[in-house]
Structures are given as C-alpha cells and as structure tokens.
Amino acid sequence: MVRPGGRSARVQASVHTAVRELASEVGRDALTVPLVAQRAGVTPSTIYRRWGDLQELLSDVAVERLRPDTTPGDHGTLSSDLTSWAEQFLDEMASPAGRAYIRDALLGDPDGGNAGQCSAYAAEQIDVILTRATRRGERTPDAESVIDQVVAPMMYRILFRPDGLDAAYARRLVAGVLRDV
C-alpha cells in the first residue's frame, strides 16, 4: 500500500517526473533505468524493485498521464456534453503523445491491468456525463453502449487506422449512440 505523502509516493512522483522530463529532453528511445534513476535521485535497484523494467515503468507513467485532469464540462445537454468530451478524448488520444502513452500503457502490461485502468478512466468520465443528463431529465444510453459505440471505435481507429480522425468523426459516433435512446 502506498501512503499518500509517504516515501513510496515521493519515490513514485520523482521517478515519474524524471521520466517525463527526460523523455522530452533526450527522447523516449534514449531512456534507460540508470538515467531515470540518476535524475530521480534514487538507485536503479529501487526502480527495478518497484517496476521490474523500463517498459513497466513507462507503462505506469503512461497510465498516470492518461488519467483525466478535470471533470467533463457541463454544456447543458447530453448531446453537447458527450460530443465535447468525445472530441477532446479523440484529440488527446490521437495526438502523437497520446498514441505513445497508449502504446506504453499496453506494452508494459502483461496482465491487462493498465488497459482496465485506462478503460475505467473513460467509463468514469462517461458516468459523470450520463448522471448529469439523467438529473436534467434526459434519456440516456447506458455507459457500456457509449464505450462500445463511441470509445471503442475511436480507439481502434487511433491504433490501427488513424487517417480521417477529426471532430466530425467523433460527432458522428455520438450521434449514432444517441439515436438509439
């Protein structure tokens, strides 16, 4: 268990910061455990003990970076809220940095826990939007339908067919899931 503010949390924060800084300074491909450890002020054995290897560390950092910073915006209607969220999600995930984080999150995750965590982030954001719409008296699809009809196609396209990804694509997906309610 990691205590908030404890040594373990401080080590994680300093190592994550070192990874982000070094990746922007020397490039992701030049990262090594000893380089990260030196920047973070820890020993390489600390990193190996906690993360196992560089790929697992990069995966952990990616999952942290993929966590949304804010609650989805309230634009007054389900359609506006979900469209705005989907456009932002697509823009962030389809960016070069977003794709790198997705790749890192999945590559260093042999048991699938990181993929599940990233999926949970999206589901939490969708739940906020749907709960807000329900309180306004709007009919809503269930969260799994939004994941299946909006998030899943976007992620597939981001990973395997990135051409043509734009706000219009996100709007079409949202319109499709809302047509069914």
Side-chain angles (χ1 to χ4, degrees), residues 27-131:
R28 185 194 165 286
D29 292 339
L31 292 179
T32 64
V33 169
L35 186 63
V36 171
Q38 180 181 16
R39 174 67 64 95
V42 299
T43 64
S45 63
T46 298
I47 293 175
Y48 289 121
R49 192 171 38 255
R50 181 173 180 127
W51 287 280
D53 63 21
L54 180 62
Q55 189 57 59
E56 287 185 40
L57 171 59
L58 293 174
S59 185
D60 191 48
V61 171
V63 170
E64 177 193 30
R65 299 304 293 170
L66 290 169
R67 180 182 357 190
D69 293 333
T70 60
T71 302
D74 185 349
H75 303 281
T77 67
L78 172 59
S79 177
S80 296
D81 289 355
L82 194 54
T83 299
S84 176
W85 179 84
E87 288 174 354
Q88 181 179 0
F89 180 86
L90 180 61
D91 186 55
E92 291 173 3
M93 295 299 123
S95 72
R99 287 180 195 193
Y101 288 137
I102 293 166
R103 182 184 65 240
D104 284 342
L106 298 177
L107 285 176
D109 184 32
D111 66 357
N114 289 347
Q117 185 59 54
C118 291
S119 177
Y121 294 154
E124 289 166 7
Q125 296 269 295
I126 291 164
D127 282 339
V128 167
I129 292 168
L130 297 179
T131 299

